[in-house]
Amino acid sequence: MPTDAEQACFEAGIKFGSLYHQFAGTPISLESADSLARAMAEAIENQPYCESVTVDIRTDVLEAALAEGAADYTEFTGRFAEIEIVIDYEGNEVVARMEMDDGYPLMRLESIERQ
Amino acid sequence: MPTDAEQACFEAGIKFGSLYHQFAGTPISLESADSLARAMAEAIENQPYCESVTVDIRTDVLEAALAEGAADYTEFTGRFAEIEIVIDYEGNEVVARMEMDDGYPLMRLESIERQ
Amino acid sequence: MPTDAEQACFEAGIKFGSLYHQFAGTPISLESADSLARAMAEAIENQPYCESVTVDIRTDVLEAALAEGAADYTEFTGRFAEIEIVIDYEGNEVVARMEMDDGYPLMRLESIERQ
Amino acid sequence: MPTDAEQACFEAGIKFGSLYHQFAGTPISLESADSLARAMAEAIENQPYCESVTVDIRTDVLEAALAEGAADYTEFTGRFAEIEIVIDYEGNEVVARMEMDDGYPLMRLESIERQ
């Protein structure tokens, strides 16, 4: 049987996979970045046990990517955001983050407060 | 060779397919519907030749769907929105709409002003 | 600090969220169900720590949904599949499943073998 | 009123936008590329007026991308495939293609046979 803390970690993973694969590929520009960030956060906050989702667009990375290409938009992918998700499952709080690690968007558990 | 009006229609189709298949499945509630609608519109407006995207959430249909289920959110699908997209390709303006038709989200050309 | 078993649960959640939100909304018919099921499994098996993904299309439910509608395809959603994912994280094996529960596709931890 | 040829072009656009935004972001490796290509083709062939979808994975580009990174998979995006879609709308046949153009996956009309 899983512990409540393990359940909390499972739920945190679901939210990260959901957020990433729902929104990867979305057309994004400097002008539309804010509305995408807000929609990502509010959409995933609907899911069970999800206390909060914070999406920070890495504007400098997005600007640099747009400067390299011929268009004024690109596709949303992990390198354009830092994301924090907080889960509460039966009083067990898990904080998980997505950050770039060696070119990949790494999703990792940052902290667990076990009940 | 395609005419410019045919190109405009092709572009209108791309925008509709993109919008629908990027965002179908997104968790949506009455609280998060507005931010999703705005993100959908602003994301697709980034695409070439796209003059405007209008997403109207059918709040009554969403409310009814949520009342039927056990959760306070559901997955975004075509029956929860009416969408209008305006394309301008070399002066040819195409207006396309998505509306429910016999239970299916039907995407259709509403008008073309040929140059 | 998370335990290895908690990490394994986090990874299992990521895979489920990824699979569901990548593929929800895909056009599916009786003819294309097998290729979609295989692509879902092979795509997610690419992800780290993922030992296996098994996607069983619930053909009877799909047939019934198609019989109700006017078209011979519909959009993939959770009620059309049962999914099992096996994770191995540093010798900790987690089995997770998605099954319908009161009309919702419930993702749950089935077993954990802690190292 | 749109002509049937314009309708055919609109339908071709829908299929391209659908295919791209449904599957962009899918984990892909050399091993899973074939099942993804097949699922993409069969899924979109379900849509109305769609005669055929051909997805050719650009294996050399995928191999090169994987060689650059630390993982043995990456996310599906337009540079990894060439795609041809054939539409028949009331006898009007449209062939559309997606190919890379200056670093962007360009979707374009290749030919129209008007009735």
Side-chain angles (χ1 to χ4, degrees), chain A residues 3 24 27 34 37 41 50 55 57 68 91 109:
Chain A
T3 66
D34 283 351
C50 191
V55 178
I57 300 294
E68 271 177 38
L109 293 169

Side-chain angles (χ1 to χ4, degrees), chain A:
Chain A
M1 287 286 295
T3 66
D4 282 354
E6 288 163 347
Q7 293 274 17
C9 294
F10 181 60
E11 294 293 333
I14 291 174
K15 275 63 179 169
F16 257 117
S18 297
L19 189 156
Y20 197 82
H21 286 273
Q22 183 64 58
F23 294 103
T26 303
I28 184 172
S29 62
L30 292 169
E31 290 70 32
S32 71
D34 283 351
S35 64
L36 181 59
R38 188 169 171 192
M40 290 194 285
E42 291 194 9
I44 301 304
E45 284 174 349
N46 285 319
Q47 294 187 332
Y49 314 111
C50 191
E51 289 297 294
S52 69
V53 177
T54 309
V55 178
D56 285 322
I57 300 294
R58 300 172 71 200
T59 308
D60 53 335
V61 178
L62 180 56
E63 270 182 330
L66 294 173
E68 271 177 38
D72 56 359
Y73 74 102
T74 186
E75 298 177 23
F76 178 73
T77 186
R79 66 187 170 127
F80 297 134
E82 286 179 10
I83 301 170
E84 184 181 274
I85 296 180
V86 181
I87 298 293
D88 185 314
Y89 186 93
E90 304 289 335
N92 295 261
E93 189 182 276
V94 166
V95 179
R97 295 184 61 81
M98 188 189 79
E99 289 166 332
M100 292 308 286
D101 179 78
D102 198 16
Y104 281 81
L106 182 68
M107 302 168 187
R108 62 180 180 75
L109 293 169
E110 180 147 299
S111 66
I112 307 181
E113 283 184 39
R114 297 179 192 82
Q115 188 64 347

Side-chain angles (χ1 to χ4, degrees), chain B residues 20-21 25 27 70-71 73 75 77 104, chain C residues 20-21 25 27 70-71 73 75 77 104:
Chain B
Y20 197 82
H21 287 273
Y73 74 102
E75 298 176 23
T77 186
Y104 281 81
Chain C
Y20 196 82
H21 287 273
Y73 73 102
E75 298 176 23
T77 186
Y104 281 81

Side-chain angles (χ1 to χ4, degrees), chain D residues 37-50:
Chain D
R38 189 170 172 190
M40 289 194 284
E42 291 195 8
I44 300 303
E45 284 173 349
N46 285 318
Q47 293 186 333
Y49 315 111
C50 191

Side-chain angles (χ1 to χ4, degrees), chain C residues 96-114:
Chain C
R97 294 185 59 80
M98 189 190 77
E99 289 167 330
M100 292 308 285
D101 178 78
D102 198 16
Y104 281 81
L106 183 68
M107 302 168 186
R108 62 179 180 76
L109 294 169
E110 181 149 297
S111 66
I112 306 181
E113 283 184 40
R114 297 179 192 81

